[in-house]
Structure formats: C-alpha cells, structure tokens
Amino acid sequence: MKHKRRSSPLNALAMIMAVGSIMTFVTPDADAQQEGRRRRGTQEVRPIELTPEQVAQLTRIANERSLNVDDLLAAAKTFMPSGRHDEYVLFSSGGHSGQVHAIGVPSMRLLRTIAVFTTEPWQGYGYSGDDDRVIESLKINGKPVTWGDTHHPALSETKGDYDGDFLFIGDKANARVAVIDLRDWETKQIVKNPLTISDHGAAFVTPNTEYIIEGGQYATVLGYGYAPPEEYKESYRGMVTLWKFDRAKGRIDESKSFALELPPYWQDLADAGKLASDGWIFINSFNTEMATGGVERGNAPFEAGASKRDMDYLHIINWKKAEAAFVAGKAQSINGFPVLSLSTLIDDEIMYFAPEPKSPHGVDVTPNGQFIVVAGKLDPHVTVYSIDKITNAIAQKKFSGSDEYGVPVLDFDAVKEAQVELGLGPLHTQFDDKGYAYTSLFLDSAVARWTLGGEYAKLNAEQPWKLVQKTPVQYNIGHLSAAEGDTVSPDGKYLISMSKWSVDRFLPTGPLLPQNFQLLDIAQPGNTMPVIYDSPIGVGEPHYCQMIKADKLKTWTVYPEVGWDPHTQRLAPNAPKKGQEGVVRNGNNVLVTMTAVRSHFFPEHVEVVEGDTVTWRITALETAMDATHGFCIGGYNINLSLEPGEFAEIKFVADRPGTYPFYCTEFCSALHLEMMGYLHVKPKSQNSAAIE
Ligand code: RUQ
Ligand code: CUA
C-alpha cells in the first residue's frame, strides 16, 4: 500500500471517531499513589469522544510531523499506553547473536533476549567461573564454540497448537538444538548433532512435540567423516534427526533419538504434518543435481550447478514408521548415533519423493493438514500438494520412477493440488483464519496474500488458489510469521515481515545496517494489508520467528521457592538458607555459603588464600517480583543474575592475591551501591597461620 494521496489528518480523526473504535482509560478516584502504580491495562475502559480542541491539536501535530491518514491509523493500531501489555509475544531467532529475542506485538517493543548459544553476562549465562555449566554445554569436541547462527524457533505444541511450555531453536552453523523452558525463559539444554557439522531445518516439532525435527542442509560424510568431493555421490549424505522430547523432564532424551540417512541433496526447510497429515514430515531439497562446485578449478559455481534442474524432490517421510523401525532395532550406529539407512527407508516404505519446482525453500502445511505448500524460490509459483492425493498415490504406486538412490518418486500430477503464480522468489508461507495464505517474495520484496482451496474456499469472497494482493515490504523479505500462523488454529490479525535489508528505512548505523521487522495488519480481508510498523533489529540476521498469544504463556515472575535451582527446576538441596551463612575451609577448598537480600550480602568479608579452590553458593532470599540482584567479582570473569528465589553456585581458583570488592550488579534498592563486600585473597607467603 503506497500512500498515493495525502488526505487531511482531520478527516482521519473524523473517521476514527465515527468508527468509535478507540478506547480510553478512566482513572477511578482511588488513592493517588496506588493509582500511579497500577497498570492502565487493568482499568476500566470506555469509548472516547474527542473535543474539537483535541481534534485541532491532533491535526496540528500530524501536520507538524508530516503524518498522513494511514500513519495516524497505524500509530493508533500499534501504540501501547504505559503499563499496557502486548497481545502477542514474538519469539524470534537472533541470527548470528546466537540468542532468542522476545518482542511484544503489536508494539514491537523488545521484551527480553534469551541467552542460548552465546554467553550473556546480564543473565549470568556462562559467567560462573570454572566448570561453568553453560560453557561446558557450548563445547563441541572439547572446544568452546561461543556463538550460534540461530535460524528456526519452534514453540512446543499440543494437538498442533502452541501450548506455551517450551521453545526450541536450531543453530545452523554448528548443528545444535536448544531447549528453553518458558516458565523462566532460560535455556535448559543444548544437544549437538553427532552426524553433521552444520544443519538448517531445525527446529520443527510434531503436533504433540513427540519429536523435535532437525533437518540438515549441506551434505557431508556423516559422523564428521572425510571424503574428497570426487566421492560426493558415494560418500556424502544428507540427514534428518528426530530428537525425542521428554516433556515431563523438559529435556531431549538423546537415548531415544535417531536419524534418517538421506541422499546427498541439500535438504532445506521441514514441516511436520498435522491433523489430516499427522504422522508425516515434509522436507524440501535443492541441489538434487549433486553439484560439487569448484569455481577455482574452472567448474560452474555451486549457485549455477545447483540450479540446473527444473525439479527437485519434496521428501515425504512417515515418522511413525521410522520410529517403529528404530524401535525394532533397524538403525545402524554412526559416530555412536542410531541412523536408519536409505535402504531401510525404501524397504520399510518410510520415505517417498515428489517432484517440486525449482530449488524451493520453504515447505508449510496448512492448518487443517490437508495441503502442503512448497515455495519455488526460482519458480514464480507456490506448488500445493494434497495429503489425500499423496497417500492415494502411495497406495496405488503411482510412481514416475525413482531417484539415483532408489527412492520412489511419486507422479507429480497425481499428488499436485494446485500451482499459484505469485511473483519472484517465493520463500515461506503462513496462514490466517480467513482461508488466506501469505507467502514471502524475496525478489519482489513483497508479501503475497492468496486464497486456499478445499474447505477454506468458503471463508473468503475470492476464487480459490488465486493471488489476491501484494504488499511491498522494505526490503527483500525472508521469513514471515502470522499470529499463530503455522498452527492448527491461526489467529490472523498480525503478520511480521522479516525483511533482510533495511537500506534507507532508519538512520544509518555505519556500513552495517539493521534488519527490518515490519508489522502488517492482516485483519481486513481482500486487498487491504498495510505495513503499520518498522522495527530495526540490530543484533544479527534473524531467520524465523513465531508469534504466540501472550495469555498462553505460564511465565513465573518469581521462582516457586527460595533456593530454586533453575537448571534442575527444583529446590536445590545445597542452597544456603538464612542463618546458615559462613565460610568453611577444608584443606585447600573453601566453601562460601551466602545469602543476598536488599541490601546486603551475608557474609560481607570472605577470606581465602592464594591457590584455594573456592565454591561459592548464593541464595537470593527475595520473593518480590523484579527484586533481582546481581553478583560479580571483577578480574575473575564472574557475574550472576540472582532472580527472586534463585540459587546459584560458582567455582574458581583464587590464583591472584589481592583485595577484590564484589558487588551487586542490579540497581536493586536505594542502598544498592552499599550492597557489596570484599573477597580477600591472601598471598601464600603471608599465610603460614591461615591453614591448619
Ligand atoms: S531460512 S529466509 Cu528459514 Cu534459515 Cu528462509
Ligand atoms: Cu542488590 Cu543491587
């Protein structure tokens, strides 16, 4: 939607008043001080009436700030009064930052970053000294890998709907998957794939989060093996891993997880079937040419070699049959990890291919599970497959042949439902509640709205399988995300365009510019779908994000009990209790038992001797919301976040003598600056008496 005509802001206001849709808050005459602290969102609302003076004032502001009617409407749709909460939370990949960002919608305010694959000092993530649990979990083959390239977050699902319990995210660079508990928004587990160095199609969940799917991408010799590119076809392989999720434990159960060997095509995005297609996994692929590049040797570069064929293969995998084969002991071990071989996938009728045009990127299953939408990337269409047609074609063996590895290829016309021409560079698709699908067009730099067929046709006025409208976005959109737009019950309302380039949208920030998250209002049917907010994301290149209704989250605002260990999600047996504080020596080991409460640490002086191994336990005794303390020791790379009720333990060797002030790193109270103490590390030479 371009602003072609600038109508007067006065008309806009008249329009708004006529619709009567803006609500205001009435302040009840209560105790003024209490009132000041109460959230506006919890107060009584009633329709506003603008006085002529207020209309004039708004008109003047709009004209001074060069705002047109659409701008005023966009502001009214996104502005959040102080204290009011957003309706949705967007959990976004943080791209190269290796983190997850939580953003409120529609305000687009950053709520918090969740540390995942990168250490993060404020959250004390990776800053608790030697043997830090986080640092250990970030090691790969013994080496610390302190960043991740986060691509796809996946909220846990129950019956195909977000349940608000867990969030998973994949690290493309290092083939890792992380588990985040959404009660306290902390990363609990990171698993490293033993088969491959990097991945891409992670993370996606099956409809009851039985498995977290990690699809691969660049074929390698599975298990970190070596073979020269000349042996690509024989030795290189793709894979998809099914990580078993144990919901009760809130952890991936590696002992019940397994992988499938795939041909050395470059598998791309994955999606799990749901409802009509429950039990299936769909994975796109490109480079079915099996190009091995080598511009430096005069070969066609990968980009050309991998784009020769008009058709690639949609991988159609029956994960329930795969699970049965794994349980029956049919997997072979590669690098200690169970893998179902290609021949098992073929013999047990676990995997089929369907032709798909052309080097596609995203595959997305419609909310009812009936249709599978493949975005062509180098083809201006999305191709829609029907699960009924797929299962019929499998039953009737309607194959057009098999690939080089013997995987049966289903007849394209037998499984295809529709092809919808949308424009240049279709990448990803999301859905709403009105029978529309939304596909990102990278090259067109637009979001395309189009109609679904089947049972969706009755939900809107347009013909099925037709492009309805395109909204330009700035610029070059990758993923998009609609409100609950990949679940069995999408909400419509809002859509995020994850625009890869921002160019001129914001003040320049040096040659490195932020990404641009653009909010689109998709509440109206037909060809109205305006951009209503631009939000710079200056932390990396986020890929996918998911938007969940905020009231589905069951977030803790303080830990359930004082002395809570967030890692185990239960009371820590070792957590210091009030009245038990102290410093106890045992040979060269010193145990510090400390509590923290506004506004002091107990004890305030800790004396050790150079070379001592110090174990330092702290319990935050606070039970009030947001009464967080920090704890740092300068020079030892230590900082903790002590959230209300939290227990934490640090360990270090006091190898540098000196007087180290430790202090609280959260401005917790008026006497926050006084919340400190001293760690005295006595030089060994002066310590004959200290150790008995
Ligand atoms: S990617 S811009 Cu999901 Cu990694 Cu498509
Ligand atoms: Cu505790 Cu500042």
Side-chain angles (χ1 to χ4, degrees):
M1 289 254 309
K2 286 253 163 66
H3 302 146
K4 291 212 175 83
R5 162 181 69 89
R6 294 184 62 89
S7 49
S8 102
L10 196 69
N11 292 344
L13 287 167
M15 214 160 81
I16 290 166
M17 285 190 304
V19 176
S21 62
I22 287 196
M23 311 292 273
T24 193
F25 298 94
V26 182
T27 307
D29 51 9
D31 172 337
Q33 209 183 349
Q34 270 294 82
E35 200 48 52
R37 302 184 71 138
R38 193 178 297 166
R39 286 206 293 116
R40 287 177 68 185
T42 60
Q43 292 173 29
E44 191 193 332
V45 295
R46 71 175 189 208
I48 59 162
E49 275 173 47
L50 294 174
T51 63
E53 292 75 31
Q54 288 168 329
V55 173
Q57 195 184 2
L58 275 168
T59 308
R60 181 175 52 74
I61 293 168
N63 284 329
E64 278 171 9
R65 297 197 63 225
S66 303
L67 303 177
N68 66 19
V69 176
D70 291 334
D71 299 332
L72 284 181
L73 289 171
K77 285 173 186 172
T78 55
F79 175 72
M80 277 292 161
S82 178
R84 187 113 62 98
H85 292 180
D86 281 298
E87 192 181 352
Y88 288 90
V89 177
L90 187 73
F91 287 102
S92 173
S93 124
H96 313 66
S97 77
Q99 317 292 44
V100 164
H101 304 296
I103 294 167
V105 176
S107 76
M108 301 305 289
R109 296 176 295 189
L110 174 67
L111 299 171
R112 224 193 88 180
T113 291
I114 303 171
V116 186
F117 296 110
T118 306
T119 59
E120 205 283 331
W122 173 54
Q123 293 162 59
Y125 190 77
Y127 293 91
S128 60
D130 305 339
D131 309 325
D132 180 276
R133 180 185 70 79
V134 170
I135 300 288
E136 288 305 310
S137 75
L138 293 177
K139 280 184 181 161
I140 298 176
N141 298 330
K143 274 203 181 98
V145 175
T146 57
W147 79 290
D149 182 12
T150 56
H151 274 236
H152 307 101
L155 286 153
S156 59
E157 294 181 10
T158 300
K159 293 185 182 154
D161 221 341
Y162 301 152
D163 53 41
D165 291 339
F166 296 94
L167 180 74
F168 312 100
I169 190 155
D171 163 21
K172 172 169 172 165
N174 306 293
R176 294 183 288 184
V177 174
V179 179
I180 297 161
D181 190 328
L182 289 177
R183 286 173 296 181
D184 62 353
W185 295 38
E186 286 201 6
T187 300
K188 301 301 175 190
Q189 184 185 23
I190 290 172
V191 293
K192 167 75 192 104
N193 197 302
L195 300 174
T196 176
I197 310 296
S198 68
D199 67 13
H200 184 233
F204 297 88
V205 297
T206 52
N208 287 299
T209 322
E210 297 94 339
Y211 289 98
I212 302 153
I213 303 161
E214 180 191 9
Q217 185 143 85
Y218 306 123
T220 56
V221 181
L222 294 184
Y224 315 150
Y226 168 80
E230 291 71 31
E231 294 166 23
Y232 187 86
K233 287 187 183 181
E234 308 79 63
S235 303
Y236 286 51
R237 288 292 178 271
M239 68 89 209
V240 57
T241 298
L242 274 67
W243 294 105
K244 181 79 188 158
F245 187 59
D246 182 335
R247 196 181 270 270
K249 293 202 176 107
R251 294 286 192 282
I252 287 169
D253 184 345
E254 297 182 64
S255 73
K256 294 193 176 131
S257 304
F258 63 99
L260 279 59
E261 177 194 12
L262 302 178
Y265 312 141
W266 291 351
Q267 283 78 27
D268 209 356
L269 287 205
D271 200 5
K274 46 189 168 245
L275 299 175
S277 50
D278 191 8
W280 296 92
I281 294 169
F282 306 96
I283 308 177
N284 279 332
S285 66
F286 60 117
N287 197 16
T288 52
E289 296 85 351
M290 294 186 279
T292 52
V295 269
E296 67 286 355
R297 280 173 262 155
N299 299 341
F302 276 115
E303 57 173 323
S307 311
K308 281 199 181 122
R309 296 182 53 183
D310 284 335
M311 291 288 197
D312 294 282
Y313 296 125
L314 173 64
H315 297 34
I316 301 168
I317 295 168
N318 188 322
W319 67 258
K320 293 197 172 157
K321 277 194 180 176
E323 182 182 54
F326 166 61
V327 171
K330 295 188 182 176
Q332 299 161 1
S333 174
I334 300 181
N335 198 16
F337 197 74
V339 180
L340 294 171
S341 69
L342 258 173
S343 57
T344 303
L345 302 187
I346 296 164
D347 296 346
D348 284 22
E349 304 184 336
I350 290 169
M351 181 165 75
Y352 300 90
F353 287 161
E356 55 179 6
K358 167 178 188 171
S359 298
H361 187 46
V363 54
D364 297 281
V365 178
T366 55
N368 62 5
Q370 286 286 348
F371 304 114
I372 299 101
V373 179
V374 168
K377 193 168 79 184
L378 301 182
D379 179 275
H381 298 86
V382 284
T383 300
V384 183
Y385 301 80
S386 143
I387 191 63
D388 292 344
K389 291 186 176 177
I390 288 172
T391 44
N392 284 337
I394 291 170
Q396 294 164 20
K397 303 200 182 307
K398 286 191 189 160
F399 303 127
S400 55
S402 56
D403 82 329
E404 268 191 67
Y405 295 87
V407 180
V409 180
L410 296 163
D411 180 65
F412 185 51
D413 292 318
V415 295
K416 179 188 73 183
E417 178 76 23
Q419 287 191 289
V420 186
E421 184 166 350
L422 299 180
L424 298 179
L427 292 186
H428 299 284
T429 301
Q430 292 268 300
F431 307 95
D432 74 1
D433 56 337
K434 297 180 198 67
Y436 294 125
Y438 300 82
T439 299
S440 53
L441 302 175
F442 181 83
L443 296 171
D444 268 0
S445 191
V447 175
R449 170 186 265 173
W450 52 281
T451 51
L452 296 167
E455 67 184 45
Y456 293 106
K458 60 179 187 292
L459 296 181
N460 53 58
E462 294 88 359
Q463 291 293 307
W465 309 125
K466 285 273 174 316
L467 173 68
V468 176
Q469 195 242 333
K470 289 194 226 178
T471 292
V473 289
Q474 292 74 34
Y475 302 89
N476 300 91
I477 175 174
H479 273 273
L480 37 56
S481 175
E484 310 222 343
D486 64 358
T487 70
V488 293
S489 61
D491 291 0
K493 283 190 157 184
Y494 299 116
L495 182 141
I496 302 290
S497 161
M498 304 177 79
S499 303
K500 300 283 187 194
W501 293 48
S502 63
V503 194
D504 55 3
R505 293 292 108 169
F506 308 109
L507 289 171
T509 53
L512 181 62
L513 298 174
Q515 310 279 305
N516 187 9
F517 277 15
Q518 293 179 287
L519 179 66
L520 277 72
D521 173 2
I522 58 167
Q524 303 307 312
N527 60 8
T528 308
M529 193 167 67
V531 173
I532 55 173
Y533 202 86
D534 276 25
S535 187
I537 307 288
V539 291
E541 188 209 314
H543 289 256
Y544 186 39
C545 57
Q546 287 186 331
M547 201 191 307
I548 182 175
K549 195 90 192 301
D551 61 17
K552 282 186 171 178
L553 296 166
K554 293 142 241 168
T555 307
W556 291 338
T557 51
V558 297
Y559 279 108
E561 290 177 73
V562 169
W564 196 262
D565 181 347
H567 182 55
T568 57
Q569 292 293 42
R570 60 175 75 96
L571 207 57
N574 292 334
K577 294 193 176 63
K578 192 179 157 87
Q580 296 180 342
E581 299 91 342
V583 182
V584 176
R585 166 176 296 281
N586 182 357
N588 286 330
N589 297 311
V590 175
L591 175 67
V592 181
T593 302
M594 177 176 265
T595 56
V597 73
R598 275 164 290 173
S599 301
H600 60 270
F601 294 106
F602 195 124
E604 295 188 319
H605 288 277
V606 172
E607 208 175 277
V608 302
V609 178
E610 178 186 358
D612 280 346
T613 298
V614 183
T615 303
W616 195 310
R617 296 177 180 149
I618 313 181
T619 301
L621 300 178
E622 304 285 354
T623 54
M625 188 171 171
D626 207 11
T628 294
H629 300 286
F631 175 84
C632 79
I633 307 177
Y636 279 97
N637 200 33
I638 283 168
N639 187 48
L640 301 176
S641 170
L642 299 167
E643 292 138 40
E646 185 168 355
F647 159 72
E649 180 176 290
I650 56 182
K651 247 190 199 146
F652 60 96
V653 177
D655 47 10
R656 284 151 289 179
T659 307
Y660 296 86
F662 55 77
Y663 68 90
C664 171
T665 51
E666 287 276 334
F667 210 109
C668 53
S669 67
L671 297 174
H672 151 79
L673 292 175
E674 289 80 354
M675 190 166 177
M676 65 82 64
Y678 287 98
L679 165 66
H680 307 273
V681 184
K682 274 197 195 171
K684 252 188 195 143
S685 56
Q686 294 174 27
N687 184 55
S688 46
I691 301 173
E692 55 252 24

